[in-house]
């Protein structure tokens, strides 16, 4: 599977969130994000032997609405 890490980019000391997703999932939506807000997102794979290294931060800005 893999883990998706995200947090607001302008507040690096705020609490981050991590979602775990099974390996068969190719797309994953994240609910509850603020509109027009930049988020730092990272992804890491994991197996039963442990977690892999997270990717570098990719900054993504949310849209006005979730349409």
């Amino acid at each position: 599977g893999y883990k998706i890490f995200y947090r607001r980019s302008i507040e690096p000391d705020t609490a981050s969130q991590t979602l775990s997703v099974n390996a068969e999932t190719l797309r994953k939506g994240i609910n509850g994000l603020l509109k027009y807000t930049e988020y730092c997102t990272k992804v890491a794979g994991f197996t039963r032997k442990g977690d892999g290294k997270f990717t570098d931060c990719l900054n993504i800005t949310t849209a006005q609405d979730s349409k």
Side-chain angles (χ1 to χ4, degrees), residues 32-53:
L33 301 178
L34 301 173
K35 58 184 169 181
Y36 292 133
T37 303
E38 185 176 86
Y39 287 85
C40 165
T41 58
K42 300 179 183 184
V43 178
F46 69 88
T47 66
R48 45 193 150 130
K49 291 190 175 189
D51 294 349
K53 182 179 174 186

Side-chain angles (χ1 to χ4, degrees), residues 50-66:
D51 294 349
K53 182 179 174 186
F54 273 100
T55 62
D56 290 335
C57 180
L58 174 64
N59 290 314
I60 298 172
T61 302
T62 55
Q64 177 179 354
D65 293 316
S66 60

Side-chain angles (χ1 to χ4, degrees), residues 16-39:
S16 62
Q17 301 290 324
T18 304
L19 302 173
S20 292
V21 182
N22 68 41
E24 291 78 31
T25 301
L26 302 178
R27 299 175 82 163
K28 177 66 178 169
I30 301 173
N31 297 318
L33 301 178
L34 301 173
K35 58 184 169 181
Y36 292 133
T37 303
E38 185 176 86
Y39 287 85

